[in-house]
Each structure stands twice: as structure tokens, then as C-alpha cells.
Amino acid sequence: MSNQGIVVINSFVYLIGGDNNTRGFRAESRCWRYDPRHDRWFQIQSMQQQHADHCVCALGGYLYTIGGRDHHNELKVVERYDLQTNTWEFVDPLKQEEEFGFNAETQKLLSKNGETLLGAINFFICSVKTLVDKTIEDTMVNIKQYENARIEYDAYRTDLEELNLGPRDATTVPKIEQSQYAFQAYREKYEKMRNDVSIKLKFLEENKVKVLHNQLVLFQSAIAAYYAGNQKQLEQTLKQFHIKLKTPGADTPSWLEEQ
């Protein structure tokens, strides 16, 4: 097979039409879908007509096959595949004078959705960067401080134990009292650092489970909506996570948007 149309929708790879090389490069109407969960290709409903060297895109939850050629002629027909019913149907064909307009509209939509997707990706990267560079790094600093406090606490505790095992006289009693005072101060410091580390680790675990999980859901949903050509779903995904994005070019529309 060669000259197929390929598109990704909802994590499934669709292989549409193309040339069957075993039959002398004859255009095909057959279609397949790859399911990564089972690592298998499944044949889906064939198109109404053979297509090769054609354009395939996803838009609004549908899959479109546009133009191309059959065994002999260039095609202007457009077919639409319904993922829910596993059926193909003809829609309005391309007209010669409409081809450039259709391409411009497609590019405009891709540009707009691409900027929105880029904003979502940047938000995802920023959130992960905050988790790694700030939350995790801050926790590591606290752990190091806790380790130092533990070493100091152990040292002063050992000194106090050795003094308590020795004789008590006018010379040693002031040393014992001074050691007791220092031991108490470092014990309080050690216990404070231990509590701080415990809180930071709990907070880090919550971030890992909640924040990072939510960001991965956002990332996956945004990618899926973009490749499905579903602008509303893409925007709804951002609203769901309370993200207000100022996408590139928001102040100044691109030349495509001005047309």
C-alpha cells in the first residue's frame, strides 16, 4: 500500500484508502483503524469510492476524505466518516473556485487551534517546571537542613550523655548545664525541621497525585481535541482547568484571520 491518507483521532490512527501496489497501483476504498490498546489494525467501513493521493483531515468529530484520484481520474468528491456509526457518506464536492477558499479556512482553523493548543502546552510545561524547580527543590533543601539538624542533635545528645556519666563537681556541673541548654536548643531545631520535612513531603505527594495528574489530563485532552479538529472541546478543556490564555497573536490577528 502507498499514497494513503493518515489521521489521528482520539488516540486511534486511521489509514484511509491509497494505492494497492499488488494490483498495479490501483486506488483503494478500504480503510483501517489502529488500536494502541490491542496493538492491532482493524478494518472499518470502506469509502463509497476509491481514493489515492487524497487529503484526509479530522474536523468536528468527523473524518473527511477530500479529492485525490481513483484508477483513472482526478476527484473532486468529498466523503465524511462518522466514527459513531462506522459509515461513510458523500458531502458537497469541491468546486474548482472553492478549493483555495477551503484550504484557507482549513489553515485558519489549524492556526487558531494550534495557538490555543500551544497555550495549553505552555501552561502544562510551566506547571511541571514549578513542581520540579520550586516544590521539589524546596523540599530537597528542607531535607538537607533536617539532616544537618539531626547530626547536630545527635552530637549534642552524645556530649550530654557522656557528661552525665562522669562525676558531678563544681567544675563539671556548669558544663553539664551548658550542654543541657545546647542539647535542648538543638533538639527543638531538629524536631521543627522534622515536622517541616513531613509537611513538605505530604504537600509534594499531594502535588504529584493531584496537580500533576490534572496537568496530564489537561495535556491529553487538549491534544485529543486538537487532532479531532474540535475547537469547542479544546476551549472547553481550558475552561475546565480555569486557564485564561493569552495566545500568541491575540492582540494582532494574523493575515489569515483578517481575510
Side-chain angles (χ1 to χ4, degrees), residues 68-83:
R69 58 173 173 78
D70 58 14
H71 303 325
H72 308 290
N73 303 310
E74 297 292 326
L75 300 175
K76 301 298 180 184
V77 298
V78 178
E79 296 191 44
R80 181 173 66 186
Y81 176 72
D82 189 326
L83 280 69

Side-chain angles (χ1 to χ4, degrees), residues 10-254:
N10 298 332
S11 301
F12 295 105
V13 180
Y14 289 82
L15 187 64
I16 308 300
D19 281 316
N20 189 329
N21 298 341
T22 61
R23 300 180 182 178
F25 293 95
R26 294 177 62 85
E28 277 275 3
S29 62
R30 293 183 297 171
C31 307
W32 294 265
R33 182 184 70 183
Y34 174 73
D35 189 334
R37 298 171 300 181
H38 305 288
D39 192 23
R40 287 184 57 192
W41 287 93
F42 297 90
Q43 187 168 351
I44 61 175
Q45 180 64 38
S46 297
M47 292 180 289
Q48 304 278 359
Q49 185 170 349
Q50 298 88 354
H51 291 262
D53 288 327
H54 51 297
C55 175
V56 175
C57 66
L59 184 64
Y62 291 95
L63 189 157
Y64 289 85
T65 294
I66 305 168
R69 58 173 173 78
D70 58 14
H71 303 325
H72 308 290
N73 303 310
E74 297 292 326
L75 300 175
K76 301 298 180 184
V77 298
V78 178
E79 296 191 44
R80 181 173 66 186
Y81 176 72
D82 189 326
L83 280 69
Q84 302 298 323
T85 61
N86 187 33
T87 56
W88 288 91
E89 64 176 345
F90 287 114
V91 294
D92 289 342
L94 289 176
K95 296 180 181 179
Q96 187 69 34
E97 60 272 16
E98 292 178 349
E99 290 185 6
F100 289 106
F102 178 83
N103 182 64
E105 288 298 321
T106 301
Q107 295 299 326
K108 184 190 296 185
L109 181 61
L110 288 175
S111 175
K112 182 177 181 180
N113 286 353
E115 289 180 350
T116 306
L117 176 64
L118 179 60
I121 292 175
N122 287 337
F123 185 86
F124 170 78
I125 293 174
C126 181
S127 298
V128 174
K129 185 176 177 62
T130 299
L131 179 63
V132 174
D133 293 347
K134 294 185 179 180
T135 307
I136 294 179
E137 184 176 345
D138 186 53
T139 303
M140 293 303 299
V141 169
N142 277 94
I143 291 175
K144 290 179 181 179
Q145 292 174 344
Y146 161 73
E147 183 65 19
N148 292 334
R150 185 187 64 80
I151 293 173
E152 292 173 337
Y153 165 69
D154 287 342
Y156 279 96
R157 183 182 60 183
T158 301
D159 289 344
L160 180 60
E161 289 174 350
E162 290 178 353
L163 288 172
N164 284 329
L165 292 175
R168 289 178 175 269
D169 51 35
T171 303
T172 59
V173 168
K175 292 183 179 180
I176 293 174
E177 291 177 350
Q178 184 179 4
S179 180
Q180 179 69 40
Y181 176 80
F183 165 75
Q184 185 65 29
Y186 279 96
R187 184 175 71 175
E188 291 176 358
K189 178 182 178 181
Y190 162 72
E191 290 176 348
K192 180 180 181 302
M193 293 306 305
R194 182 177 60 186
N195 291 335
D196 288 347
V197 168
S198 178
I199 293 172
K200 287 292 180 65
L201 289 176
K202 182 179 179 180
F203 178 70
L204 184 62
E205 181 67 17
E206 291 177 352
N207 271 271
K208 182 182 70 174
V209 174
K210 295 180 181 179
V211 177
L212 187 56
H213 174 265
N214 287 343
Q215 296 307 315
L216 289 172
V217 171
L218 162 67
F219 183 73
Q220 168 65 20
S221 299
I223 290 290
Y226 173 77
Y227 279 107
N230 194 331
Q231 179 183 348
K232 290 184 178 179
Q233 182 181 343
L234 182 56
E235 294 175 350
Q236 185 61 37
T237 297
L238 303 187
K239 290 180 181 179
Q240 178 184 350
F241 288 88
H242 309 290
I243 302 171
K244 295 182 179 180
L245 298 174
K246 183 178 180 181
T247 56
D251 295 331
T252 305
S254 66

